[in-house]
Every structure is written in structure tokens, then in C-alpha cells.
């Protein structure tokens, strides 16, 4: 197990408004992880230059122009022993990076022959890379669509849920603390551009105890890259707002009616952190690690709930899970549940072309979804239920390495 000091070094630290550095130190032999700059598909101007603009759909169905913030450096996370004989490459979601980084480091003490290379470039890019077989596994918070699965070059793709997590609405109101209350309709109207100031009656009526801090314009921020976090967030908005569903919809990337775009959870967190009146959405761990207050959201049962681990886990209760494990769990009506939640998935081909890598990956997935689950709560994720774990076991056992099971 890592010491507290080593664990702290693995946490994200923000650099500037949209910087992302994942510092991961120490493997079993004491080697520092090697962060290298990963290619980013879409480049934007630097923070010092004029921000480009992106054409986005308006609430009325026309177009609106929203500036896009500078992209952060996508830092490849390389964890494991220098002498490891097996390198497993992955790319995709930033949502699970804190726990995946921890898992990679811990597992390198279990199997010293495995080394991991993960590019946190967003779920959309992770899906593309696994489709094109340029990585051994993809990371996505959004289940792939049927059309995306059909485009996969390596045949059948499995969705392996690893943990579930909460997406939270973060804000920067000087002097205010955690505890802003919002219902789904109000949240949707902020992102539709129908609510533009903090003292709007819809916000004040739900937060009379915070009225003194509800001043000024709302500086809306959203993800500019293809993101599973965005899929969870916009799936929730579509579930609670007919106007949002008809004019914007859901997906890993949408045409935002208003707002400033930033790449990655860390980019959004950094931008809100440095903008008085800022408002955005990130995975819970990023809010906590950056000491950003977040809203208590009204769930389908009519309760304002804090995004705790327990409330996140409750979101999956009572939901019918299909055989392929692709499922959305937003807007739960279960008492005590937090409504903006979702699973994050590792995407892996059933037929593994490289038996050595297939075995290494299958063994890691088994460890992660069993021993690794004990680390989830400390990083603000909800571990898999016993039922989901059994279903994941069946998927891992079905991974095929040249006619033989990969998991050994």
C-alpha cells in the first residue's frame, strides 16, 4: 500500500486556469512515473492570446457563439516498473483518472511485469481510439451507441463498469459555502441561457439563506471536448427539461447554447475556480480536490441531496441493468439518491489479438473490480454493488485470448 505522502503526490494539482498535471510517483521499486505530453486532437489558442469561438446551438434552435478556453496539456500517466515486460496502453475519460491512477500504482506492486500508459483525453477520444485499435483499452463515462459499436474494428467490445461517480454543479460565489440548492429545471435554464444572474428568482427562492451571496452574472463553463462527464450531465438535463431535450439533447458533445468551454474536468474546475460568479460541472473528486463548493440537487423523489458516496450508489438501485451493462442512472427517484450520477467504463475487445496483453489486462480488471474497489470511497467514487460485480466477473471471464480465457 502507498504511504499517505505517496498517495498525496498522486493527486491532481491545478496549474493555471485550465492546467492538468497528474503527478504519480513511486512504483514498487521506487521509480517515479513518467508524465509525457499526449497528442490532443483539437488545439486552441493559449490563455495569453485571443480565445477562438465555437458556433453552438441556441435554445431557440439558431446559433450562438461561445468562446472556448485554452486547452490544458493532456498529461499521459505512465505508472509501473521500469523493467516491466508488458506495457498496457489506454486512453479516454478524465472522470476516473484519480482512481485509475491509484489502481495502476497499487497493481504495479501486485504484478511487477505490467506497466500502464493512460492518456486522459476525454471519453469521446477514448471511444475513437479503441474503435481504431490504437490502444488496448478505452475509458468512457458514456456507454457507446450501437452505431459506435458497429464501427469498432476489432469486433465485439465489452463495457466493464469500474465505479460510479457523481457529476456536480460547482460555483464560485465569494463568501458562500457548499450547499447551494438547485432543481433540475433551474440548472437547465442556466445552461439554456434563460437564467443569467445569480439573483434570479428561481435561484433565490431555493436559497433564501444564501441571498446575500447571490449577486452578479453567472459565468457558465462547460466541456469543449468530447466527454462522458458531459454525457452524464446532459442526459440528466434531458431527463428533467423538455426544452433542453428538444433543443440541445444529450451526448458526449453537444451544441451549447451559452458558456465558455474548457477541456477536461480539470480545465472546467480551474476556470470556475478563477472566475468570480463562475459555474460549471465536474466529477465530484475534482470539486473536492480543488475545494470548490457544489450544489445539492433535487432528485426524482423531490429531495435536495448532497453528492455523497452513499447517495451516488443509491442512484443505481432499482435500475434494470441490461446484459451488455450499458445503462444510464440519472434522475433517480430512489429516496436519498443523488440524481446526476453514472458508471464509468473500461472498453475492451472480447477477442484479444495479443494473448500476453489480453491476459495482463484481464488480470488487472479482475483485481481492480475486486481488491481495487476498496479504494473507491477514499477517492469519492461509489464501488460496484455485489450484483454488478458478479456481472462484471462474467464479462472478464469471457475475454478470449486465442481460444483460451484471458483471465488466469
Amino acid at each position: 500500500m502507498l504511504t499517505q505522502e505517496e498517495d498525496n503526490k498522486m493527486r491532481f494539482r491545478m496549474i493555471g486556469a485550465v492546467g492538468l498535471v497528474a503527478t504519480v510517483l513511486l512504483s514498487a521499486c521506487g521509480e517515479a512515473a513518467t508524465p509525457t505530453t499526449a497528442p490532443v486532437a483539437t488545439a486552441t489558442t493559449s490563455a495569453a492570446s485571443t480565445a477562438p469561438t465555437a458556433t453552438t446551438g441556441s435554445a431557440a434552435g439558431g446559433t450562438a457563439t461561445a468562446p472556448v478556453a485554452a486547452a490544458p496539456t493532456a498529461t499521459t500517466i505512465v505508472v509501473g516498473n521500469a523493467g516491466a515486460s508488458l506495457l498496457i496502453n489506454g486512453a479516454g475519460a478524465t472522470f476516473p483518472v484519480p482512481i485509475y491512477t491509484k489502481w495502476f500504482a497499487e497493481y504495479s506492486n501486485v504484478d511487477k511485469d505490467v506497466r500502464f500508459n493512460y492518456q486522459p483525453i476525454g471519453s469521446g477520444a477514448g471511444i475513437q481510439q479503441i474503435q481504431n485499435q490504437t490502444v488496448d483499452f478505452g475509458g468512457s463515462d458514456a456507454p457507446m451507441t450501437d452505431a459506435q459499436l458497429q464501427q469498432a474494428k476489432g469486433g465485439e467490445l465489452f463495457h466493464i463498469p469500474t465505479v460510479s461517480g457523481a457529476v456536480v454543479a460547482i460555483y464560485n460565489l465569494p463568501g458562500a459555502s457548499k450547499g447551494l440548492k438547485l432543481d433540475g429545471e433551474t440548472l437547465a435554464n442556466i445552461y439554456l441561457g434563460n437564467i443569467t444572474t445569480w439573483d434570479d428568482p428561481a435561484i433565490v427562492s431555493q436559497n433564501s439563506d444564501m441571498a446575500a451571496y447571490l449577486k452578479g452574472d453567472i459565468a457558465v463553463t462547460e466541456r469543449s471536448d468530447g466527454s462522458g462527464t458531459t454525457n452524464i450531465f446532459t442526459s440528466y438535463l434531458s431527463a428533467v427539461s423538455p426544452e433542453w431535450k428538444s433543443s440541445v439533447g444529450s451526448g458526449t458533445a453537444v451544441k451549447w447554447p451559452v458558456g465558455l468551454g474548457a477541456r477536461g474536468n480539470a480545465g472546467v474546475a480551474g476556470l470556475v475556480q478563477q472566475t468570480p460568479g463562475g459555474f460549471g460541472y465536474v466529477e465530484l473528486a475534482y470539486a473536492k480536490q480543488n475545494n470548490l463548493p457544489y450544489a445539492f440537487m433535487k432528485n426524482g423523489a423531490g429531495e435536495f441531496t448532497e453528492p455523497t458516496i452513499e447517495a451516488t450508489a443509491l442512484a443505481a438501485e432499482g435500475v434494470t441493468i441490461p446484459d451488455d451493462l450499458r445503462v444510464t442512472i440519472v434522475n433517480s427517484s430512489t429516496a436519498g439518491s443523488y440524481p446526476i450520477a453514472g458508471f464509468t467504463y473500461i472498453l475492451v475487445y472480447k477477442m484479444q489479438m495479443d494473448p500476453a496483453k489480453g491476459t495482463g489486462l484481464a488480470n488487472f480488471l479482475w483485481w481492480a473490480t475486486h481488491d481495487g474497489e476498496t479504494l473507491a470511497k477514499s477517492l469519492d467514487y461509489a464501488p460496484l454493488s455485489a450484483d454488478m460485480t458478479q456481472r462484471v466477473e462474467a464479462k472478464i471471464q469471457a475475454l478470449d485470448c486465442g481460444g483460451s480465457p484471458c483471465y488466469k
Side-chain angles (χ1 to χ4, degrees), residues 217-235:
D217 294 335
I218 302 174
V220 175
T221 303
E222 67 264 339
R223 290 283 290 271
S224 61
D225 55 325
S227 157
T229 306
T230 295
N231 183 73
I232 294 171
F233 188 70
T234 57
S235 293

Side-chain angles (χ1 to χ4, degrees), residues 40 60 90 220 253 262 273 346 355 361 392 407:
V40 178
V220 175
Q273 190 174 41
I346 282 181
L361 183 54
V392 165
Y407 173 64

